[in-house]
Amino acid sequence: MKLDRLLGILTVLLQNDRVTAPFLADKYEVTRRTIGRDIDALCRAGIPIVTHQGAGGGISIAEGFKLDKTVLTTDELAGIVAALKGLDSVSESSQMERTLDKLGANADAVVSLGQPVVIDLGSHYKGSLAGKIEQIKRAILDTRCIQFEYFYEKGQHTRRIEPYFVIFQWSSWYVFGFCTQRQDWRMFKLNRLWDLITCDESFTARPIPPERRDMYSHMTDEHTLRAIFAPSVKYLLVDAYGPDSFHEDEAGLHFEFDYTNENYVLSWLLGFGDKVKVLSPPELVQAVQTSARKILTRYENGSQ
């Protein structure tokens, strides 16, 4: 995955004064041209990378850029790269309001970014959601409550929350905040959120309990994918979700995963071709079968 490779390159640069493009290409098993594009992406993300030509040349982070690698975890680096890379894309003014210069030894990854936007993977999406994102972002910075109509499986309800973050996760946008009706932390999908109002009521920021900082735990309307993968694609599951994401027996690799966006999961599964069999939920099994039939029909009919 490109984001994983960007994090890896950033980590290597933080740990070494200078490295070469061939070294990075060999390490991540890609071409030098790909490394060049990755370096450009990191530069666009705001990481000041310098290339040195000639004997003893290479790639390094510019002197004076303060990132304490001794206090950064992989998750924190992911937040830095993703937020820096994607923040401008959701702002109508296309301007970062703050620049990340350094993180303190006791800083929290989310709070240290100084921004109410957390992006879990790079995105340049900028469309109808931009207005909602801008309004919520301003409410967060002004510590103002927001109110909206929310549509979900059980119907429609008016909700009022203290907003804390706008999050891009699993190809969808969410707002994370403290629901005054439920008196608990909640995540709301922006596509289902309408008639948004910024309230006159202000709020005092609450400390987010450590156990509630896992954004995945707040996802609503989750479904569980159960599937069996062929052993030949084990490395892809490890690459995406780690070696503990499945168990193996004579039938193959048994994989379970909670998801919120069916279209995203469907496209991911179809990429495995005949190397995966979806067991549940039934609606996802049906979606895979329908897509497979459409693909077969297109080839059988010779349609373009």
Side-chain angles (χ1 to χ4, degrees):
M1 298 174 66
K2 182 177 179 180
L3 181 57
D4 293 334
R5 192 170 63 248
L6 289 175
L7 295 175
I9 292 173
L10 178 56
T11 302
V12 170
L13 292 174
L14 287 169
Q15 294 174 342
N16 298 273
D17 291 334
R18 190 175 298 183
V19 298
T20 66
F23 169 81
L24 293 174
D26 290 341
K27 181 176 179 64
Y28 295 103
E29 300 178 344
V30 295
T31 65
R32 297 184 190 181
R33 180 175 295 181
T34 296
I35 293 299
R37 289 195 292 264
D38 289 343
I39 296 301
D40 289 340
L42 287 172
C43 289
R44 291 194 300 270
I47 309 298
I49 296 177
V50 179
T51 57
H52 309 266
Q53 304 298 323
I59 304 166
S60 65
I61 294 181
E63 294 183 8
F65 184 75
K66 303 298 183 182
L67 273 177
D68 186 354
K69 61 178 177 289
T70 63
V71 301
L72 292 177
T73 66
T74 299
D75 288 341
E76 289 170 333
L77 286 171
I80 291 170
V81 173
L84 287 176
K85 188 176 180 182
L87 195 55
D88 276 348
S89 68
V90 300
S91 174
E92 291 181 341
S93 61
S94 188
Q95 175 181 338
M96 296 188 73
E97 297 179 19
R98 295 181 177 88
T99 300
L100 176 64
D101 291 321
K102 62 183 178 179
L103 294 175
N106 297 318
D108 175 86
V110 171
V111 176
S112 297
L113 291 174
Q115 284 287 345
V117 179
V118 179
I119 303 175
D120 208 55
L121 51 116
S123 169
H124 297 283
Y125 179 81
K126 187 176 181 180
S128 60
L129 292 176
K132 291 181 185 178
I133 293 170
E134 282 290 317
Q135 184 176 350
I136 295 173
K137 177 181 173 182
R138 178 51 53 191
I140 294 169
L141 295 174
D142 293 340
T143 60
R144 300 267 296 279
C145 292
I146 60 173
Q147 183 172 302
F148 49 85
E149 293 296 310
Y150 194 68
F151 298 81
Y152 68 118
E153 188 177 5
K154 297 180 180 179
Q156 173 184 347
H157 289 280
T158 301
R159 291 295 182 93
R160 178 179 291 227
I161 69 168
E162 301 169 0
Y164 283 77
F165 301 113
V166 177
I167 299 169
F168 184 83
Q169 201 157 18
W170 277 97
S171 74
S172 295
W173 288 97
Y174 299 83
V175 58
F176 171 72
F178 187 83
C179 179
T180 58
Q181 288 105 316
R182 302 288 185 179
Q183 286 294 297
D184 199 4
W185 301 94
R186 289 288 191 271
M187 189 93 85
F188 299 93
K189 192 173 185 177
L190 296 196
N191 280 344
R192 301 181 185 178
L193 183 160
W194 294 94
D195 299 329
L196 175 63
I197 298 172
T198 301
C199 305
D200 294 332
E201 175 189 355
S202 62
F203 65 91
T204 301
R206 307 168 186 262
I208 303 175
E211 66 274 11
R212 307 311 295 270
R213 291 182 181 273
D214 178 7
M215 297 306 173
Y216 282 104
S217 67
H218 303 284
M219 291 295 186
T220 58
D221 299 331
E222 286 190 345
H223 306 282
T224 299
L225 162 68
R226 293 182 176 85
I228 299 179
F229 288 82
S232 61
V233 299
K234 179 189 295 187
Y235 72 101
L236 293 175
L237 293 181
V238 172
D239 182 53
Y241 297 105
D244 297 328
S245 63
F246 58 87
H247 71 271
E248 186 172 5
D249 60 20
E250 64 279 0
L253 311 176
H254 296 258
F255 177 85
E256 290 191 10
F257 187 79
D258 292 333
Y259 67 92
T260 60
N261 189 307
E262 181 177 295
N263 290 332
Y264 183 91
V265 172
L266 177 61
S267 63
W268 179 70
L269 290 168
L270 291 175
F272 288 91
D274 63 352
K275 303 298 183 183
V276 60
K277 180 178 181 180
V278 179
L279 304 178
S280 66
E283 59 269 21
L284 186 57
V285 173
Q286 182 63 47
V288 172
Q289 292 173 341
T290 300
S291 296
R293 291 191 188 101
K294 289 181 178 178
I295 293 171
L296 181 60
T297 299
R298 169 162 292 190
Y299 280 96
E300 288 178 339
N301 295 339
S303 57
Q304 299 298 318

